[in-house]
Amino acid sequence: MDTLDRLAEPGLDLLGRVDTLLAAGAPEGHRVWPLLRRMQVLPGEAVRNFLDLHPAPLAGAGHAARRLVRGYDDASAALADPVLWSGPAASAYGQARTALLRHLDEGPESLVGRLESTAGYADALADWVEGSRRALARALADVLRSAEAVAVVAATSVPGGGPGHRGPAGPGGTEAAEIAARVLAVLCVAYDGAETLLRQWGPSLAESRWWEPVADRPRYDAPTRIGW
């Protein structure tokens, strides 16, 4: 459990009240409007969804991907063993084996290269989640201590005071918009970071294609072992 988890209950309670006030609208020209249009979600729901993101599963996926590399190393070692053959079949096998070795573990476009990139991307996402959760926790801590929070709680604690009883300029409306703007601004930065990671890592996560070597089709006579 991190700081964001500990702030989740009071934070979601406050943001639920903010959502209630925002349902009646926000003051015209307030900076929350472009954030709402971009995120297409109220702050309470946005934070509730973000709470499900944790770095540990992503870090675990990176470790799991790296463990798979050992299997490819074993396969490459088996293919690299010399074969004492001669003849057309041995030549064709040698070409295919060389191509397969390149496909398994030669450069960033090989299977091992893609596994390492996948592990790196998972690690980068885990770091992104951890950093984003810290930033969101700081934002929630700040708004929970703010004068705006006091005004929002007071406005939503009036008996019978629902969204239909107030407008965007009514009690708590401006304060709710300010809290929403602070929280959504942090989430916008977080999602910008995720999109940046995808652009950076996307090319190295592409499919590793197998290109079969082009060679003459030999007659597959029985191979002759050296010394026969």
Side-chain angles (χ1 to χ4, degrees), residues 14-27 32-33 36 41-45 152 155-156 161-178 180 184:
L14 174 63
L15 293 177
R17 296 169 183 269
V18 168
D19 289 356
T20 297
L21 293 172
L22 286 179
V32 76
W33 281 114
L36 287 169
V41 66
L42 292 172
E45 184 179 353
V152 165
T156 53
H165 295 268
R166 58 176 64 87
T174 300
E175 291 82 0
E178 183 60 28
L184 290 178

Side-chain angles (χ1 to χ4, degrees), residues 79 90-103 210 212-213 215:
L79 286 169
S91 177
Y93 173 75
Q95 292 181 33
R97 180 177 65 170
T98 299
L100 183 55
L101 279 169
R102 285 199 300 266
H103 182 59
W210 161 250
E212 188 172 356

